[in-house]
Amino acid sequence: MRLRALLDTDALGLRLLGGEDELDRTVRGVMTTDLRDPSRYLSGGELVLTGLAWRRDAADSEPFVRLLVQAGVVALAAGEAELGNVPDDLVVACARHRLPLFAVHESVAFATITEHVVRQVSGERAGDLAAVVDRHRRMMTSGPAGGGPDVVLDLLGSDLDLRAWVLSPTGRLIAGPKVAGPGLPGDICARLAAEHLAAVRTGRRGPHRITLGSSTYSLFPVRPTARTSRDVRETVLSDWLLAVEADAGDWPEGRLDLLQGVTQLIAVERDRRDAARTVRRRLAEEVLELVQTGAAPAEIAARLRVAAPVLLPGLGAAPHWQVVVAKVEWRDGDPEGGPVAQSLLEEILVDPLATGPEPSDRIAVAQTDDEAIALVPLPAVSAEHDGSEAGILADALLEAVRDPLSAGLDGDGRVTLGVSASVHSAEGLRGALEEARHARRVAAARPGAVCAAGHQELASHVLLLPFVPDDVRRAFTARLLDPLRDYDRRHRAELIPTLEAFLDCDGSWTRCATRLHLHVNTLRYRVGRIEQLTSRDLSRLEDKLDFFLALRMS
């Protein structure tokens, strides 16, 4: 569509401030941003909508406009809601660079303009998907009953013969075509998510292409319609992506524009789901505020009774609860990790096998300072049936998402989580919170970019090992193990593996010899050599324990 057509639509509330001679330019897409430099997300031909949050003073307008022009933007539309009017310095900068400038009346939402442009552009460039855009408001505002993004993906399949899926940043399948056909395996989803996150962190412009087996996938980022982040790390672990089973490298410009429009339609659904999380976040914040301020158990219990029907609708009995604490830390300490951890925790706590329109309805996550705290309800019947192992297990929580998260962290960030045991009353919630926080600190003391620890580990020697000072750790292990390592290097005697197997077999000569495929006499010779080199006696419990700890800390 042409810029001139935007002025002819009264419902958009646009007023031309400059660039009358450039109104025959063609609009191929639309983007909402308040980044000071949005160029990495622009591919050319866009109408850019901005609320002017990037502008701190008059000197900011010139570089902002220059970057837009260099990226091939066709026009800029500035909202009047923030400042009351469009500042003169922005008008002057746009005139200098011959960039058409519109003012958007404060009564008009950017989503209205986005929807209109997507409808027109998609209709003009790909009439075979006009039905998608025409049904946009019904699908994206009426909730699951209206179809949601699944219907958009079905139409992509039926009208353009494209199979596509919407994935979370960790590879969870959010939406896919409902028509018959093979689904997308979980390992493929995780690989696609990891590739997408790696591409985003390196600044590559989408769509990103990856070949897995005999299939090639093109990955399109799905970003919120009102993005305000200035650092990619603020959203890289929360943005969705659209995975299309096709190679977009040789697509014509019209089809690329169409898929960009589809991602904008899906972004509206993402915004709707994010807004729905506000109630659950508020519930979590209220409960945790009571817990942390030492409120009476009766007051906390009353708030839990309010939260339970929202998080587990239709539940008769009071649920049990678990607490999960997460923290995202970046090497340079910026950006703030709390909001990132909150979005991430809301994502990874969704059971991949859960059914229903929105399984994350069962999760309430609050943000306090630099950490995120999740209040997860468990049906009381299940908790009683399964005992202490019911609910979330720390290791299983990160097993499927470790690779995508590592790609998104890109070597300069860490994610650590701690999980409490389940509790069945308000009296136990404060202890569960402290337990989850302590477990997270245990996870943080371990090496690696993505670590978790559960309540089971707080009653084990494992709890103590991460907190041994590094110099003590090195001295202790060197004193016991270095003589054995030196001997192994000189003689290839495999004393260290023998020691590990002997302790793992609880000192049983027969079981250890069988495991190592050795004669018992050979095993006795090796153990005797270990004792001779270290002046220790492996028949004594104290010496066995010292060796065990040294191996675990090395």
Side-chain angles (χ1 to χ4, degrees):
M1 67 177 299
R2 298 188 184 278
L3 285 175
R4 193 178 303 279
L6 294 173
L7 288 175
D8 296 334
T9 307
D10 295 337
L12 299 184
L14 295 177
R15 189 172 77 258
L16 185 65
L17 300 182
E20 185 173 0
D21 296 335
E22 308 292 336
L23 292 180
D24 287 328
R25 292 184 179 185
T26 299
V27 180
R28 295 185 299 180
V30 61
M31 176 188 179
T32 299
T33 184
D34 276 311
L35 292 172
R36 297 173 68 83
D37 179 6
S39 56
R40 72 166 62 189
Y41 305 114
L42 297 167
S43 56
E46 294 94 343
L47 167 67
V48 170
L49 309 176
T50 180
L52 300 175
W54 50 267
R55 182 184 178 277
R56 299 171 184 170
D57 55 47
D60 291 335
S61 292
E62 168 66 25
F64 180 77
V65 172
R66 184 172 63 253
L67 289 168
L68 295 187
V69 172
Q70 290 172 351
V73 169
V74 299
L76 176 65
E80 296 180 318
E82 183 73 20
L83 302 178
N85 54 44
V86 178
D88 292 339
D89 49 90
L90 183 58
V91 176
V92 171
C94 287
R96 181 181 299 115
H97 291 277
R98 301 179 63 83
L99 181 68
L101 176 64
F102 299 96
V104 183
H105 192 271
E106 63 181 4
S107 63
V108 179
F110 283 175
T112 301
I113 301 174
T114 298
E115 180 182 340
H116 177 82
V117 173
V118 171
R119 182 187 296 116
Q120 296 301 316
V121 171
S122 300
E124 292 176 8
R125 292 187 174 273
D128 54 357
L129 268 185
V132 175
V133 182
D134 290 339
R135 293 161 62 185
H136 166 228
R137 186 179 298 279
R138 180 177 67 81
M139 290 188 298
M140 297 305 184
T141 60
S142 59
D150 299 292
V151 176
V152 179
L153 302 182
D154 278 340
L155 289 172
L156 278 175
S158 62
D159 293 353
L160 288 186
D161 196 26
L162 291 175
R163 298 177 70 226
W165 301 264
V166 179
L167 305 178
S168 77
T170 61
R172 180 173 63 89
L173 184 63
I174 293 171
K178 295 181 180 178
V179 295
L184 199 61
D187 59 333
I188 297 296
C189 291
R191 290 278 302 279
L192 294 177
E195 171 66 20
H196 170 72
L197 291 176
V200 170
R201 287 306 309 270
T202 56
R204 283 188 278 153
R205 183 173 294 176
H208 317 300
R209 303 194 305 279
I210 177 176
T211 299
L212 299 177
S214 59
S215 297
T216 298
Y217 300 88
S218 297
L219 311 178
F220 295 79
V222 177
R223 298 190 175 95
T225 57
R227 176 183 293 277
T228 59
S229 61
R230 293 172 171 80
D231 189 321
V232 67
R233 293 175 298 179
E234 294 180 12
T235 56
V236 68
L237 299 181
S238 60
D239 282 350
W240 290 355
L241 67 138
L242 175 68
V244 182
E245 191 177 11
D247 187 347
D250 56 357
W251 279 5
E253 193 172 271
R255 178 164 287 203
L256 284 172
D257 289 345
L258 179 89
L259 266 293
Q260 295 291 354
V262 170
T263 65
Q264 292 169 346
L265 299 184
I266 296 171
V268 174
E269 170 68 5
R270 172 64 191 270
D271 291 344
R272 183 191 68 79
R273 295 193 185 189
D274 284 348
R277 288 177 170 175
T278 302
V279 174
R280 301 193 295 276
R281 287 178 171 182
R282 187 175 301 118
L283 282 172
E285 290 168 358
E286 292 174 354
V287 172
L288 291 169
E289 177 67 20
L290 293 174
V291 170
Q292 295 184 113
T293 56
E299 187 177 358
I300 299 174
R303 180 53 58 186
L304 289 176
R305 284 194 294 271
V306 173
V310 175
L311 302 178
L312 282 178
L315 187 69
H320 290 204
W321 301 90
Q322 266 185 295
V323 176
V324 181
V325 174
K327 192 170 185 178
V328 175
E329 299 171 283
W330 302 105
R331 183 174 297 167
D332 57 7
D334 189 46
E336 183 183 355
V340 181
Q342 184 178 38
S343 297
L344 182 61
L345 202 50
E346 288 171 334
E347 163 58 34
I348 64 176
L349 284 174
V350 177
D351 182 355
L353 302 180
T355 58
E358 182 52 272
S360 62
D361 284 344
R362 297 185 174 191
I363 301 160
V365 183
Q367 177 202 338
T368 61
D369 298 325
D370 60 347
E371 65 183 8
I373 302 172
L375 192 64
V376 183
L378 307 172
V381 174
S382 298
E384 291 167 359
H385 176 74
D386 294 332
S388 61
E389 297 301 316
I392 299 166
L393 299 178
D395 291 338
L397 193 60
L398 293 179
E399 182 177 354
V401 300
R402 190 177 304 277
D403 289 344
L405 285 182
S406 297
L409 294 167
D410 193 32
D412 72 343
R414 293 196 75 205
V415 173
T416 52
L417 294 97
V419 182
S420 78
S422 62
V423 296
H424 66 277
S425 66
E427 288 86 350
L429 206 55
R430 184 179 183 86
L433 175 59
E434 291 306 314
E435 189 174 57
R437 279 177 164 158
H438 201 61
R440 193 208 65 78
R441 288 192 289 270
V442 171
R446 295 171 175 165
V450 182
C451 298
H455 62 92
Q456 303 92 336
E457 300 177 58
L458 302 186
S460 165
H461 64 276
V462 178
L463 170 65
L464 303 176
L465 299 186
F467 299 99
V468 176
D470 287 343
D471 55 346
V472 175
R473 182 193 302 257
R474 285 190 295 268
F476 181 74
T477 58
R479 194 161 49 246
L480 278 177
L481 302 183
D482 278 2
L484 306 182
R485 291 178 178 137
D486 291 343
Y487 191 87
D488 280 348
R489 278 194 295 270
R490 293 195 308 270
H491 303 283
R492 298 182 181 180
E494 297 188 351
L495 296 185
I496 291 289
T498 301
L499 176 61
E500 291 174 333
F502 185 74
L503 295 174
D504 194 43
C505 293
D506 298 323
S508 168
W509 296 100
T510 303
R511 282 194 291 129
C512 184
T514 301
R515 173 181 294 189
L516 296 175
H517 306 289
L518 297 174
H519 191 279
V520 172
N521 289 340
T522 304
L523 175 61
R524 291 185 183 277
Y525 172 79
R526 288 188 183 179
V527 170
R529 177 64 66 185
I530 291 170
E531 293 174 333
Q532 180 184 16
L533 292 170
T534 60
S535 301
R536 297 296 185 110
D537 183 355
L538 277 168
S539 66
R540 299 179 66 248
L541 176 62
E542 294 87 347
D543 288 343
K544 286 181 182 177
L545 181 59
D546 282 349
F547 277 122
F548 177 79
L549 293 174
L551 289 169
R552 292 300 297 266
M553 288 191 294
S554 63

